[in-house]
Amino acid sequence: MGKIEKLKRYWSRRNDAKEYFKWCLSYTKPYIPQLLLLMFFDLGATLLSVGMAIIGKEMIDRAAVGNLSDLWKIIAIYVVVILGAQLLGIISTLVSTVVYEKFGFGIRKKVYRRILDTCWIDVSKYHTGDLMTRLTSDVSAVSDGIANTIPTIIRLVVELLVTFFTLAYYDLRLALFALLVAPIAMFASVILGRKLKYLTVKVQETESKYRSFMQESLANILIEKSFCLEDYSEERLTQLRDERIYWVFKRNRTNMYASAAMGLSFQLGYIVAFAWGAICIANKTITYGTMTVFLQLVNRIQSPIVSLAQLVPRLISMLASAGRIIELQNLPKEKYEGKAIEPEKIGVKVETVSFGYTDELVFDQASIDFKPGEFTAIVGKSGIGKTTLVRLIMAFTNKMKGNIEFYNAKGETIPACPDARNFIAYVPQGNTLFSGSIKDNVLMGKKDATDEEVVTALKSAAAYDFVNEFPDGIDTVIGEKGVGISEGQAQRIAIARALVRKAPFLILDEATSSLDESTELSVLEGIRRWNPSPTCLLITHRRSVLQYCDREIKIENKKMVVAQ
Ligand SMILES: Nc1ncnc2c1ncn2[C@@H]1O[C@H](COP(=O)(O)OP(=O)(O)O)[C@@H](O)[C@H]1O
Ligand SMILES: [Mg+2]
């Protein structure tokens, strides 16, 4: 790599760190009063502890000359100061816990919302386990940075300055000597810092993989069992753990080198202070009290330096985590049109649409017009693009070329966009139920639907008969992804969830694939009779469905053609 390239990379990394830092600060603003309070208590505790060293000196000096009456007073002050420092320490811990929790939740909520607002196609590239890791441990690392690390760094810097000048007042040479740890600490944190950031990202990535694996495996426990994968999966988990341990170990080793170097110089400082103090006492240039000040303050100069150097990795891991969160936040947001059309008699025109998930196109200049009120069957081989067509109409992707536009009888139009979903009811392919009661699931279609509306929707989806047979009726609780009911029952509840919306545009993506023919026909009859009657796109493989449709559209050769 050329020098210029190296320099460029260095600058871009610096700019990244700056950007990440700015981002963290932008989230910190609402918490500034609490953070200031926190720092006030922290600094109070620090000043008291420096005061303690000075009071200690006075105590010993009084003792050395046998001044007992003053000694008692000073001991009393000493005790008060110790208690005060402890109390401030406790209060600051409490405040910091509150900030940590509030801040963490604040960020988590925003990032969660941001993921919801991001275009589906971009989010779908992330494993949910990875998203979870970012939402949990990465957010925790950032809040730890804001609520603990940064206030602590500020406190340590103040502590360092105050102690340095206090010691310098008694003995400048010793104070300067104590600072000798600083270059070693700086060296360790700057040189190792970059490596640490890289290692921290690796650790978080392996954490994501590890979590993603477990989550997916637990979600598909039936597959694990069916294919006798228990041993294999455990082995795979061990592999992932080993991978994680490898990076954790590497990171901790780097940390350890830094700590060891600093620890050694720290010891050295202590020995020198001790020896120097002893010599001074022998020469009678200082009192015993001053000697205790030496011992305490040399330590108090060095320990903030060492702690600062140790906090740098935490700051770095905060920045690395911030980077992983920012990456999510930088995904393009869905674009709202900010307008609405009267949701009645909706049709949709697809014009010269080209789209592919990769360079391979699924649609190439495809056009079709789905007229208001029409029931259209969409057929085509598996993998040909039926679901993709729905995703385009639902505006789940932002990479489409061409035009998709909804229109109503009044001639008002609105392009395919998130706003249009207000008048669309969609039954996706596969099992899309949530854990909770059947009623909760149906209410997702219309939050304020009455029980009567829920029941009517269930009836039209041919679901009420079996729901009614459950002892708890519509309040029957089902598990994650509809555990506890059959696939076909889940499909019918999903259809009821769409129907209850009373949307003028209904999309069913192989929504009746698990039903027997007669149940399927009664569902379709229910939908046809549904009032108000929607425009409907029905993706299907079954010929029997066609009798309920006005038209049949076939997807082939990356186009849509009218069959018959
Ligand atoms: N999220 C995705 N990323 C990349 N390729 C995809 C994605 N979803 C579907 N595809 C591909 O697009 C093509 C059309 O898929 P799809 O519309 O789901 O087919 P179907 O007609 O069976 O519903 C398939 O070749 C499939 O492999
Ligand atoms: Mg499909």
Side-chain angles (χ1 to χ4, degrees):
M1 193 175 5
K3 265 198 173 139
I4 295 184
E5 218 111 289
K6 262 190 180 165
L7 212 64
K8 267 191 195 159
R9 269 187 48 176
Y10 175 68
W11 273 109
S12 88
R13 260 198 307 241
R14 265 185 75 124
N15 285 338
D16 276 358
K18 253 195 202 160
E19 186 203 324
Y20 297 173
F21 208 72
K22 263 196 200 152
W23 178 86
C24 292
L25 288 186
S26 74
Y27 275 93
T28 313
K29 273 190 196 128
Y31 303 95
I32 285 175
Q34 277 126 312
L35 286 172
L36 284 179
L37 191 72
L38 180 65
M39 257 174 267
F40 173 77
F41 288 122
D42 264 358
L43 289 181
T46 307
L47 290 182
L48 283 184
S49 59
V50 174
M52 242 149 62
I54 296 171
I55 297 171
K57 166 194 178 310
E58 296 298 324
M59 218 155 71
I60 295 200
D61 283 348
R62 296 286 194 291
V65 294
N67 184 347
L68 269 182
S69 64
D70 272 1
L71 188 61
W72 283 117
K73 257 189 253 163
I74 294 178
I75 289 178
I77 298 177
Y78 196 69
V79 171
V80 170
V81 169
I82 287 182
L83 289 180
Q86 288 286 335
L87 188 68
L88 287 182
I90 292 172
I91 298 178
S92 99
T93 310
L94 285 178
V95 176
S96 134
T97 311
V98 172
V99 174
Y100 174 79
E101 287 301 325
K102 276 196 180 169
F103 185 83
F105 180 70
I107 264 197
R108 196 163 285 142
K109 191 168 102 174
K110 277 213 173 103
V111 180
Y112 169 71
R113 180 65 213 227
R114 193 62 184 71
I115 295 175
L116 294 184
D117 285 340
T118 300
C119 198
W120 170 84
I121 194 114
D122 294 310
V123 181
S124 66
K125 296 197 177 92
Y126 290 86
H127 195 290
T128 44
D130 183 21
L131 293 177
M132 280 307 290
T133 309
R134 288 171 202 244
L135 275 174
T136 51
S137 46
D138 283 315
V139 167
S140 296
V142 173
S143 8
D144 179 56
I146 298 295
N148 299 325
T149 315
I150 292 180
T152 309
I153 286 177
I154 295 175
R155 178 177 63 84
L156 288 174
V157 169
V158 173
E159 183 175 342
L160 182 63
L161 291 175
V162 172
T163 345
F164 175 77
F165 285 112
T166 315
L167 185 60
Y169 170 78
Y170 292 104
D171 194 318
L172 181 63
R173 271 175 298 181
L174 189 58
L176 288 175
F177 179 80
L179 285 186
L180 274 185
V181 194
I184 301 174
M186 291 256 287
F187 173 81
S189 60
V190 170
I191 298 293
L192 300 177
R194 264 182 246 155
K195 199 169 167 194
L196 274 173
K197 185 168 168 219
Y198 168 76
L199 293 175
T200 306
V201 170
K202 280 285 172 204
V203 168
Q204 291 292 55
E205 275 174 12
T206 42
E207 165 84 27
S208 276
K209 268 204 224 165
Y210 183 68
R211 242 186 227 228
S212 303
F213 173 78
M214 275 203 285
Q215 184 186 321
E216 200 157 27
S217 164
L218 293 176
N220 292 302
I221 208 153
L222 268 182
I223 305 296
E224 302 279 336
K225 288 189 178 298
S226 316
F227 291 92
C228 310
L229 292 174
E230 294 92 341
D231 290 341
Y232 167 81
S233 292
E234 189 193 334
E235 210 170 284
R236 181 93 186 88
L237 188 73
T238 316
Q239 263 173 21
L240 287 172
R241 190 211 52 191
D242 288 349
E243 204 179 310
R244 187 177 138 71
I245 286 181
Y246 170 80
W247 290 108
V248 169
F249 193 72
K250 247 184 131 152
R251 182 187 62 180
N252 291 0
R253 204 172 46 191
T254 310
N255 264 338
M256 221 166 55
Y257 289 154
S259 302
M262 283 179 293
L264 269 180
S265 50
F266 191 72
Q267 289 294 332
L268 190 69
Y270 197 72
I271 293 168
V272 168
F274 216 101
W276 178 250
I279 292 170
C280 290
I281 287 182
N283 292 338
K284 299 215 169 12
T285 51
I286 61 166
T287 60
Y288 288 107
T290 311
M291 167 86 179
T292 61
V293 173
F294 277 11
L295 292 182
Q296 290 190 51
L297 292 191
V298 163
N299 243 308
R300 285 196 159 276
I301 290 183
Q302 297 196 318
S303 68
I305 297 176
V306 173
S307 311
L308 278 173
Q310 282 166 348
L311 281 177
V312 169
R314 261 166 67 187
L315 203 61
I316 288 167
S317 82
M318 160 183 145
L319 290 182
S321 287
R324 281 163 49 84
I325 300 172
I326 293 172
E327 182 190 321
L328 291 183
Q329 293 213 309
N330 285 344
L331 292 176
K333 247 184 166 178
E334 285 193 303
K335 269 219 328 264
Y336 280 79
E337 288 295 318
K339 75 173 201 181
I341 60 173
E342 194 179 315
E344 243 192 83
K345 304 242 175 304
I346 299 279
V348 63
K349 221 178 249 165
V350 178
E351 284 171 326
T352 57
V353 159
S354 299
F355 173 81
Y357 296 93
T358 54
D359 289 341
E360 169 84 21
L361 287 182
V362 178
F363 288 107
D364 188 7
Q365 303 270 323
S367 303
I368 196 79
D369 185 1
F370 298 106
K371 304 228 167 62
E374 220 172 39
F375 269 58
T376 309
I378 297 169
V379 300
K381 277 194 290 193
S382 170
I384 199 78
K386 302 180 295 296
T387 301
T388 305
L389 172 65
V390 176
R391 289 179 182 153
L392 294 174
I393 292 176
M394 296 290 287
F396 287 151
T397 131
N398 46 14
K399 295 177 180 64
M400 175 196 89
K401 291 209 181 76
N403 227 347
I404 298 183
E405 196 172 67
F406 292 92
Y407 58 92
N408 62 12
K410 284 185 176 167
E412 295 172 318
T413 63
I414 182 172
C417 62
D419 316 63
R421 292 176 209 148
N422 284 319
F423 55 71
I424 304 177
Y426 172 36
V427 187
Q429 202 170 356
N431 195 331
T432 54
L433 293 190
F434 284 64
S435 59
S437 72
I438 292 176
K439 181 173 142 188
D440 291 341
N441 270 284
V442 177
L443 286 181
M444 282 183 171
K446 186 180 173 207
K447 268 138 258 109
D448 55 356
T450 59
D451 279 6
E452 206 185 321
E453 284 176 287
V454 170
V455 168
T456 316
L458 285 168
K459 277 182 181 158
S460 290
Y464 192 65
D465 284 348
F466 76 83
V467 171
N468 202 26
E469 269 173 27
F470 293 144
D472 292 331
I474 59 171
D475 292 317
T476 303
V477 172
I478 51 180
E480 199 181 332
K481 289 204 161 199
V483 168
I485 55 176
S486 82
E487 192 90 358
Q489 289 172 331
Q491 282 192 334
R492 281 175 278 168
I493 293 171
I495 292 173
R497 176 176 64 189
L499 287 179
V500 79
R501 207 167 166 74
K502 299 212 165 102
F505 201 92
L506 179 64
I507 303 174
L508 301 166
D509 189 352
E510 301 192 25
T512 50
S513 58
S514 299
L515 301 182
D516 60 277
E517 206 163 328
S518 75
T519 313
E520 179 177 39
L521 296 186
S522 48
V523 171
L524 287 170
E525 244 160 50
I527 296 173
R528 275 245 83 149
R529 275 204 308 268
W530 187 247
N531 190 20
S533 167
T535 311
C536 186
L537 306 189
L538 252 164
I539 294 175
T540 181
H541 287 297
R542 303 248 189 105
R543 303 304 305 170
S544 55
V545 170
L546 295 179
Q547 55 177 303
Y548 290 93
C549 296
D550 307 311
R551 258 206 322 176
E552 182 186 341
I553 300 288
K554 191 166 187 185
I555 300 178
E556 56 185 9
N557 301 326
K558 304 178 185 176
K559 306 256 191 247
M560 283 167 265
V561 291
V562 181
Q564 280 157 13

